[in-house]
Each structure stands twice: as C-alpha cells, then as structure tokens.
Amino acid sequence: MRELKRSEDGVMDYPFRLLIISIVLVIAIPTMLSALSHYRTRSAEEQLSQEANQIASAVESVYIQGVNASTSLEINLPEDTEHLKVGAPLSRSVHTRAIYYQLRGQPEDSILVTHGLRGIPMTSPHNDTLIIPEGRHRILMVKRQADFDITGDGVAGDYFVEIDVMEW
C-alpha cells in the first residue's frame, strides 16, 4: 500500500514540477535573450570603434610622411553599422578633421584625428565627406597638398589626407 501512495504522489507531483519549470523558463529566457542582445550590440560597438581608430591611426601615419605618401587599410564594419563618415569638404570646420560612426539605434560617436595639437584635414577625392557602409572595404589614404589655405593662417599649401574606398 505504501508503494501505491508513493506512485500517486509522483503522479500528482509531476504537473506541479512542470509548472515550476515553465515559470522559471518564462522568467529566464527573456532575460537571457536580452543579455545576448546587449552583448551583441556591445561587441558591434567595440568593433566599429576599433575600425574607426584604425583609420585614424593610418591617417596620422600618412600625414607625418611626405607629399603623396600613401597606405591602404582593410576594414570590416559590423552589419549593424548605420554609417562611418570620414572628413568633409576642406575648410576650417572640425568636421573635416573627424570620423563619425554609428550603429543602428545607437547614438553617434566621433574621433578627432590629430597630429600633436592640430587636427588633420581629411576629405574624399571629390572634396566631400566619405561615407563607408557596413561590410568589408579596402581604403586608400594619400597625403596631398592643397592649393589654398585650409587652416586660415594666411599661408596656402596646407596638407590634407585624401581617403577613398577602393574596389574590393
């Protein structure tokens, strides 16, 4: 008779255990998915930031060399990249000396590219902002000399770095 009672307790206990397991899963799964989503976003932010910093380092490296010095760089922007913008039309604006980047749904961040205390002017071959989309790219950076005064110090012939996306 005692075995029968244990068996009945087991049968009665089984749905209760399933209910507890279900409640735990209902609470745990959204938390785990949220943590996974947060980790994925942070990982993409870190990758995008590293790529932007790699561009900034390469620009500085080219800028400290002679006219027409160049280098190419391979970058891989995460698939959630909203944009990576390099430089602007040559002027005294800070935008021509900055790299702006953003993931979808996240705030925009930026890096001021400098050599010493001076910002390094950057532009596309068409004297415009270079916008690089998500994915793998090879970019070319060349130090050029402008035929006008970029810095506003009254002396023409300032230097800048021309940046272009090469065919992959």
Side-chain angles (χ1 to χ4, degrees):
M1 181 120 159
R2 190 160 168 89
E3 281 184 36
L4 184 59
K5 188 170 184 185
R6 263 192 210 162
S7 177
E8 286 175 9
D9 286 344
V11 169
M12 296 298 287
D13 193 38
Y14 187 70
F16 183 68
R17 287 182 184 191
L18 284 176
L19 178 64
I20 290 174
I21 290 170
S22 298
I23 290 171
V24 168
L25 288 175
V26 164
I27 294 170
I29 288 176
T31 304
M32 291 181 343
L33 290 176
S34 175
L36 181 62
S37 174
H38 178 73
Y39 171 76
R40 188 170 173 249
T41 299
R42 290 292 304 143
S43 179
E45 284 175 345
E46 183 64 30
Q47 181 183 356
L48 185 57
S49 174
Q50 286 176 353
E51 297 295 351
N53 279 300
Q54 191 175 2
I55 293 169
S57 293
V59 165
E60 184 178 1
S61 175
V62 167
Y63 188 76
I64 63 175
Q65 298 176 39
V67 175
N68 295 326
S70 67
T71 191
S72 66
L73 179 67
E74 292 180 16
I75 60 171
N76 187 13
L77 303 181
E79 67 181 45
D80 291 338
T81 300
E82 181 75 31
H83 65 256
L84 188 142
K85 298 177 182 177
V86 182
L90 294 174
S91 68
R92 286 185 257 172
S93 169
V94 71
H95 299 294
T96 200
R97 292 155 175 80
I99 299 173
Y100 297 92
Y101 56 95
Q102 180 179 12
L103 284 179
R104 285 185 197 96
Q106 300 298 318
E108 184 179 68
D109 208 348
S110 65
I111 299 170
L112 183 61
V113 184
T114 61
H115 176 66
L117 298 176
R118 299 184 71 176
I120 300 173
M122 302 172 290
T123 192
S124 74
H126 305 291
N127 194 26
D128 203 357
T129 301
L130 180 66
I131 300 173
I132 305 173
E134 65 185 36
R136 290 182 53 155
H137 305 280
R138 177 172 287 159
I139 55 177
L140 176 67
M141 291 160 264
V142 181
K143 181 177 182 179
R144 303 277 190 211
Q145 187 170 16
D147 56 359
F148 60 95
D149 180 18
I150 299 173
T151 60
D153 61 2
V155 179
D158 294 324
Y159 298 103
F160 67 96
V161 176
E162 181 182 276
I163 302 177
D164 196 11
V165 176
M166 301 167 57
E167 293 297 320
W168 189 255

